[in-house]
Amino acid sequence: MAGETVLVVGGAGYIGSHTCLDLANKGFQPVVYDNFSNGHREFVKWGPAEEGDIRDRARLDEVLAKHKPAAILHFAALIEVGESVKDPVSFYENNVIGTLTLLSAAQAAGVGAFVFSSTCATYGLPQSVPLDESHRQVPINPYGRTKYIVEQALADYDQYKGLRSVVLRYFNAAGADFEGRIGEWHTPETHAIPLAIEAALGRRQGFKVFGSDYDTRDGTCVRDYIHVLDLADAHVRAVEYLLRGGESVALNLGTGTGTTVKELLGTIETVSDRPFPVEYVGRREGDSTTLVANNDKARDVLGWSPKYDLTEIVESAWNWHAKSNQH
C-alpha cells in the first residue's frame, strides 16, 4: 500500500493535518482538499494542496481525476456545538449536503474506501458509561445530528452501492505534534486544553469551569482526552484496513480513561508551572456528566490502541501554544 494516494478532505485542519503527517510517515501520499475557511495553509506540509469546497461537485471531480486516490479521509465539517444551535442551516449545508456531494463524486471516480470523521456527540446523553458502539444514537444538537445523518447515509451506501467506509467517533481530541510543527488552532477557540493553556500563558483572563456539582469524584464533568496523533494513527490504520478489503464498521476513538475538569486543570498547572485564575460558574446546557469511550472494538478491528497519556497530551499542547504566535 506504500505510495498510494489518499485524498484528505479538510486536511489543513487540526486532526486532518496531523493525519497527513502520519500518512506521509507511513509511506502514503496525502493530497489535501480544503476550502481554508477553518484550515490553515501553513499546516499543508506533507503533500500538495487543492483548494475547493465539498459542495463543489465540478471541482471535486477535477481533483479526483487528477490525483486518482485509493481512499478518501473526510474531516471537512463545521464542528462547534454552540454554533450549530445558532445556525443549523450552515451545518446541514456543509456537513450533510457537502458530504453527500463528496460521496457522489467518490463513487463516480471509483473510490471504494472512505473514512469518515464522526463524533461521540451522535450518542447524545449517555445511558451507560463507558460508551460502546452499540449505545443508542440520539444526538441532542444539530452538530451531532448532521454527523448521525451521514453515518446513516454511509450504511446505505455500503448496503446498496458497495462503498465501504470506516466511521470513527472521536471523544475529546487534544495535544499536538511533539516537534511543534502543527497544533490546535481554532478561531474562536472553544476547547478546554487550549483555553486553559492560554490562561496560563496570560493570553486570556482565566478559565471558566461550567458546573461543580456533578455526580463525579470532584463535582466537575469527566471527559476522555485522546492525543491527536493517536487519532491520526487510527485513521491511517482505517485506510489500510479498507484497502485490504475490510468491511464497513463504526468505531469509537478514545482512551477509555476519564479525566475531570479539575484534574485536567491540575495537570496543565503542573506541566506549565504557571498557576492561573479559575472561576466556577453554573452548568452549561447540554453538557453530559461523563463521556468516556469503550475502545475495545477499535483495538480488535484495527489493532489500534492509544499511546499517549494526559501528561503527554498537555506537554505537546503546551509546547505548541507556548512557541506559537499564531494566536
Side-chain angles (χ1 to χ4, degrees):
M1 282 179 274
E4 294 273 26
T5 297
V6 177
L7 188 68
V8 186
V9 180
Y14 174 42
I15 301 169
S17 60
H18 286 82
T19 302
C20 287
L21 165 62
D22 201 57
L23 283 164
N25 283 344
K26 291 172 181 169
F28 290 93
Q29 171 63 66
V31 175
V32 170
Y33 184 88
D34 206 297
N35 66 4
F36 298 104
S37 60
N38 293 310
H40 309 288
R41 293 177 197 277
E42 303 94 313
F43 283 8
V44 182
K45 297 174 183 284
W46 294 281
E50 297 283 1
E51 187 164 359
D53 194 282
I54 53 172
R55 293 164 291 188
D56 185 343
R57 175 62 190 274
R59 180 67 179 134
L60 285 167
D61 288 344
E62 183 184 350
V63 169
L64 288 163
K66 177 179 174 183
H67 293 284
K68 299 179 175 57
I72 293 174
L73 282 162
H74 178 31
F75 297 95
L78 300 178
I79 62 167
E80 297 305 341
V81 170
E83 279 303 307
S84 79
V85 174
K86 292 179 199 166
D87 181 18
V89 174
S90 292
F91 278 70
Y92 279 90
E93 286 179 347
N94 189 87
N95 296 4
V96 178
I97 295 171
T99 301
L100 295 176
T101 306
L102 174 61
L103 285 168
S104 295
Q107 283 211 291
V111 180
F114 193 90
V115 179
F116 178 57
S117 167
S118 193
T119 168
C120 65
T122 64
Y123 293 123
L125 298 173
Q127 305 295 297
S128 58
V129 177
L131 291 98
D132 67 22
E133 291 83 356
S134 66
H135 188 285
R136 69 175 199 175
Q137 290 180 282
V138 188
I140 60 170
N141 51 61
Y143 165 65
R145 275 190 287 276
T146 61
K147 292 288 192 175
Y148 181 47
I149 288 165
V150 172
E151 286 197 20
Q152 292 174 299
L154 286 169
D156 283 340
Y157 277 66
D158 174 50
Q159 185 171 347
Y160 302 111
K161 289 293 187 181
L163 178 67
R164 290 173 300 111
S165 61
V166 175
V167 167
L168 297 174
R169 297 176 187 146
Y170 310 165
F171 282 66
N172 288 59
D177 163 44
F178 285 95
E179 293 182 34
R181 292 164 291 185
I182 50 176
E184 190 164 7
W185 177 13
H186 298 116
T187 309
E189 186 55 75
T190 60
H191 294 166
I193 290 176
L195 289 175
I197 287 174
E198 286 179 12
L201 288 165
R203 293 175 182 167
R204 60 177 61 238
Q205 291 292 302
F207 185 88
K208 278 187 182 173
V209 176
F210 295 98
S212 56
D213 58 350
Y214 284 98
D215 183 19
T216 62
R217 52 188 173 266
D218 60 24
T220 61
C221 287
V222 173
R223 294 293 180 265
D224 186 338
Y225 296 96
I226 175 132
H227 200 290
V228 66
L229 291 177
D230 282 326
L231 287 179
D233 175 48
H235 284 78
V236 180
R237 287 171 182 264
V239 168
E240 292 169 338
Y241 164 82
L242 288 171
L243 294 181
R244 286 194 302 267
E247 296 179 354
S248 294
V249 66
L251 304 170
N252 286 337
L253 295 183
T255 62
T257 301
T259 301
T260 70
V261 178
K262 277 187 183 173
E263 290 163 351
L264 175 67
L265 297 178
T267 304
I268 292 169
E269 195 167 303
T270 300
V271 167
S272 67
D273 198 23
R274 297 195 191 187
F276 51 92
V278 175
E279 180 187 0
Y280 289 87
V281 296
R283 293 187 183 193
R284 190 167 49 185
E285 188 182 353
D287 273 348
S288 295
T289 302
T290 302
L291 286 173
V292 177
N294 177 323
N295 62 14
D296 291 348
K297 196 171 178 184
R299 208 178 295 259
D300 293 344
V301 173
L302 301 180
W304 173 84
S305 56
K307 296 177 189 167
Y308 303 110
D309 63 17
L310 184 67
T311 299
E312 290 166 304
I313 287 171
V314 172
E315 284 171 349
S316 65
W318 174 261
N319 176 43
W320 159 254
H321 289 285
K323 69 182 260 190
S324 169
N325 59 8
Q326 290 160 319
H327 302 68

